[in-house]
Amino acid sequence: MKITLKAPAKINLFLEITSKRPDGYHNLQTIMQTVSLYDELTFEDLGGADQSIILECSSKELPVDESNLIYKAALAVRKFYNINRGVKIFLQKEIPTGAGLGGGSSDAAAAIKGLVHIWGIEAKKADLEKIAAQLGSDVPFFITGGTALCEGRGEIVTPLPAVLGMPVILVNPGFGVATASVYKKVAFPLTKPRKIHRITKLICEGSFGYRNASDYCFNRLEEFVFPDYPQIKKIKRVLTELGCASFMSGSGATIFGIFDSESQSETIKSKLQMHQCKTWAVLSSGQ
């Protein structure tokens, strides 16, 4: 038996840091949104005779051992449900790593869902979220996908009405940013703390989009990333000059731009080619 699942990328429409936690992490308020850039995971059940976990990947740069979140997800699912079966997983990697797009977390969530299906487990969503929370802060969001308010370290997920079909361009400079190094630079008190209720209200009313994104989207981490990575700041400036509402996703390095219509995407992409960036024209999605 084989199945294939898509693992979507995400952007952060809003990201504010509210406090530092005793465990060294930070409490966040963020709104995550899945978009139509996907990795693909193919699962093949090896049955009970062969209990191996075999992970293969289209990218030779990624590890395929127990340090990979997909592999960790497989171990966690087997332990949680006391399953003694093997699986072969192939990852077709399209989402860049270290990009602020949640590719690794999305792959882990897809692995949880794929393994539950292929092993015939009757699973409750709450249990899938428990397994996801063990693996990383963003993984529980991808169990649901779509549009959601995420709090705590990011693992407390409240689904919001889906923002569907919004044209977005993703621009990556071709290098990654280490999330841990960014959060080490966060210093309190923060200047002019931003409140999340304004953008949340627009999303709940169904009135969020290009025309108000510049006023209501926000990413606190930009002020801690841009001084060390002027290339990322430059991408934001170029997108803004092209008429996009532009913000960094997560801790970088990707900048996303929200624009008026899909017809603009090719014009924007051609103007970014001179900056030697990787670009994807995508839509906001429900999964």
Side-chain angles (χ1 to χ4, degrees):
M1 177 182 179
K2 282 188 179 182
I3 62 167
T4 298
L5 295 182
K6 288 184 175 182
K10 62 83 178 167
I11 56 176
N12 296 78
L13 298 176
F14 184 98
L15 194 162
E16 179 61 289
I17 303 166
T18 57
S19 63
K20 189 166 184 179
R21 299 159 55 103
D23 60 10
Y25 288 94
H26 292 77
N27 285 314
L28 311 175
Q29 285 188 319
T30 184
I31 293 176
M32 296 192 198
Q33 171 66 58
T34 45
V35 296
S36 59
L37 172 66
Y38 303 97
D39 290 343
E40 280 193 352
L41 285 80
T42 299
F43 304 83
E44 181 180 356
D45 182 21
L46 299 180
D50 185 349
Q51 296 181 20
S52 304
I53 296 173
I54 302 170
L55 175 60
E56 298 177 350
C57 182
S58 62
S59 171
K60 302 304 180 185
E61 298 177 2
L62 291 180
V64 291
D65 57 16
E66 293 186 25
S67 64
N68 189 295
L69 271 181
I70 295 172
Y71 201 109
K72 291 179 180 179
L75 291 173
V77 171
R78 285 209 308 198
K79 181 178 179 181
F80 191 91
Y81 291 105
N82 194 26
I83 295 291
N84 296 311
R85 297 183 73 86
V87 67
K88 182 177 180 180
I89 306 171
F90 180 78
L91 169 64
Q92 181 64 42
K93 192 67 182 165
E94 302 295 339
I95 303 169
T97 58
L101 297 174
S105 296
S106 187
D107 293 342
I112 293 169
K113 291 186 281 188
L115 291 167
V116 162
H117 180 84
I118 204 166
W119 285 335
I121 301 168
E122 293 185 10
K124 298 178 180 178
K125 184 182 177 185
D127 290 337
L128 301 186
E129 290 171 341
K130 284 181 185 177
I131 298 170
Q134 299 171 16
L135 299 171
S137 300
D138 290 351
V139 184
F141 162 71
F142 286 105
I143 296 295
T144 301
T147 312
L149 166 65
C150 302
E151 299 174 282
R153 292 186 293 115
E155 82 283 7
I156 303 170
V157 181
T158 305
L160 298 174
V163 177
L164 300 177
M166 181 174 64
V168 177
I169 192 156
L170 307 175
V171 187
N172 184 272
F175 58 81
V177 173
T179 299
S181 67
V182 174
Y183 277 97
K184 284 180 181 177
K185 293 181 171 65
V186 175
F188 293 93
L190 300 173
T191 57
K192 298 180 180 178
R194 294 286 291 269
K195 302 296 184 183
I196 200 169
H197 70 274
R198 299 169 70 199
I199 185 171
T200 304
K201 184 172 183 288
L202 286 175
I203 291 170
C204 290
E205 292 173 347
S207 55
F208 174 78
Y210 162 77
R211 299 190 185 283
N212 50 35
S214 292
D215 294 327
Y216 295 100
C217 290
F218 175 74
N219 187 337
R220 173 64 66 183
L221 295 179
E222 289 182 356
E223 66 187 75
F224 302 108
V225 171
F226 287 172
D228 293 329
Y229 297 94
Q231 308 97 311
I232 301 175
K233 184 177 181 180
K234 183 179 180 181
I235 292 170
K236 175 168 179 168
R237 187 184 74 242
V238 170
L239 281 175
T240 301
E241 290 170 352
L242 290 172
C244 295
S246 57
F247 299 88
M248 189 174 74
S249 186
S251 56
T254 303
I255 297 287
F256 67 90
I258 299 172
F259 50 97
D260 200 10
S261 68
E262 288 185 71
S263 61
Q264 291 177 274
S265 63
E266 290 306 316
T267 300
I268 294 170
K269 285 178 69 175
S270 64
K271 290 185 177 181
L272 286 165
Q273 285 178 350
M274 68 185 70
H275 298 281
Q276 298 182 327
C277 297
K278 298 178 181 179
T279 61
W280 299 265
V282 300
L283 298 173
S284 59
S285 64
Q287 283 291 338

